[in-house]
Amino acid sequence: MHTPAEAMPTITWQHFEQTDIRVGTIVEATDFPEARKPAYKLLIDLGPLGMKRSSAQITKHYTLNDLPGKQVLCVANLGNKQIGKYMSEVLVTGFADEHGDIVLAQPAGPVPNGSKLI
């Protein structure tokens, strides 16, 4: 994990443009008891990209009831990742708090599902 004192290497604008970060709305959240670390299974509406699944280790700050309706920022072009028997299709982004627990990255206001971070 990088702290503010550990700057990441500089990338080009072209590299940044290759990262497809989209906003989506969580429509369903369920427990993921098979995960090695506490996590939820999420179903996220990414508008024109369709419904996508993700596993997220966000159990410290959010309950299953908190999540439906929340908009989140997702990396949509990392490819699928097998997590146990579950296939995660997008990476939900967030920030680690002072204890290392994840707080979701969200837009400041409502935007259309599938909107690309620019």
Side-chain angles (χ1 to χ4, degrees), residues 22-24 44-52 112-116:
R22 305 285 184 127
V23 69
I44 303 165
D45 181 356
L46 286 166
L49 298 180
M51 301 294 265
K52 301 290 182 179
N113 288 334
S115 295
K116 186 172 177 7

Side-chain angles (χ1 to χ4, degrees), residues 6 8 18 29-30 33-34 37 44 47 83 94 102 107-108:
E6 299 175 40
M8 297 288 292
Q18 292 174 359
T30 57
E34 306 85 13
K37 294 182 180 179
I44 303 165
I83 302 171
I102 302 301

Side-chain angles (χ1 to χ4, degrees), residues 1-9:
M1 188 177 325
H2 291 275
T3 63
E6 299 175 40
M8 297 288 292

